[in-house]
Amino acid sequence: MKKNEKLWFLGIVAVLLVIFTFTDLQISKAVYNPQSGYGHFFEAFGELPGALIAVFSLAALITTGKYNAKWKAILFNIIFGVLLIMFSFMAAIMPMNYLGGIKAPVAGILAAVYAIAALWITKILSKEESKSLRQAAIIGILTFVAAIVVINIIKMFWGRLRFRSMEAPYNEFSLWFIPQGLTTNNEYMSFPSGHSANSAVIMWVTLLPTFVTSLRGKEKHLKVIAGTWIAMVMISRVIMGAHFASDVTMGATISIVSFYLISKWVKKNTSHVESESKGKVIKG
């Protein structure tokens, strides 16, 4: 993201947060519809691209791994392999939590399909664009983990009640910038939006041209696709009463900013993550 684009982005976010300070409650009252098919669809699948990006990234770390000692190859492949299994199950389970509960056999099959497909695709891509693929993989997994960790920590300390749990005259409504105290009750974890944050991990697709030659020159198109998906998820969360407009704005912003900061850091320190030494290399 260029400097002028960053300024525009942050400026728009600031303006929106000011507007939502005065309109959060009114917007939610106007659009709330817990029976919305649109809302239910994105509730179930809005976070899925982010989870699949994490799965793909872990697979890429395995297929592009190069180490100067066999024990390191074994250790890191075990670590990444375990994480690949965990995140594959997460990707399989996420939609099921909103589609009638978790079905273990189906989740297991889906997780296996996700993991095997990711390993197969990254193995093919690594033959020609190993360095760029590994760089993108590091950015992908760090962005997804950052979105989950940062958002949930803030949620616990903010304690904002969700609109769907309020009743007229909405005396429990609070402004987005005023923390309400520590909580572990999910209904008091409205700010910021986890769905919006996880959906915003899809910004990672703008890195595809770095290791998929056929997509080079398509960066703007990928940004539009990513931005459209994020916006649709954000709107759906307000419709479902799970979040206020300020919640989804902040959730998406945190992930987008994290993505660009992590990308900048990884690219700057490529030499530290591409290989362990100049000595004998063992493929992972």
Side-chain angles (χ1 to χ4, degrees), residues 23-81:
T23 60
D24 255 348
L25 184 57
Q26 289 79 1
I27 291 173
S28 289
K29 287 164 67 175
V31 304
Y32 179 51
N33 178 14
Q35 306 305 318
S36 168
Y38 165 83
H40 280 290
F41 175 84
F42 283 100
E43 183 173 57
F45 298 102
E47 300 173 291
L48 185 58
L52 291 177
I53 286 169
V55 171
F56 180 90
S57 297
L58 284 164
L61 289 177
I62 293 173
T63 57
T64 62
K66 295 179 181 179
Y67 308 95
N68 65 339
K70 190 172 183 178
W71 71 267
K72 290 182 179 180
I74 294 173
L75 176 62
F76 282 101
N77 279 334
I78 289 175
I79 293 173
F80 293 142

Side-chain angles (χ1 to χ4, degrees), residues 8 16 19 21 44 47 51 59-60 72 81 88 112 118 120 140 150-151 168 171 190 216 230 233 251 276 284:
W8 272 104
L16 287 176
I19 293 173
T21 297
E47 300 173 291
K72 290 182 179 180
S88 293
W120 178 63
V150 174
I151 293 297
N171 292 326
S190 184
R216 285 175 187 168
I230 296 167
V233 174
E276 305 249 342

Side-chain angles (χ1 to χ4, degrees), residues 215-227:
L215 291 176
R216 285 175 187 168
K218 306 292 185 182
E219 290 83 358
K220 290 184 178 180
H221 295 86
L222 292 170
K223 279 186 179 181
V224 171
I225 292 171

Side-chain angles (χ1 to χ4, degrees), residues 39-40 43 83 100 110 112 168 176 185 188 192 217 224 237 239 265-266:
H40 280 290
E43 183 173 57
L83 290 174
L110 273 178
W176 67 268
N185 185 337
Y188 284 86
V224 171
R237 300 311 285 155
I239 290 175
W265 179 82
V266 170

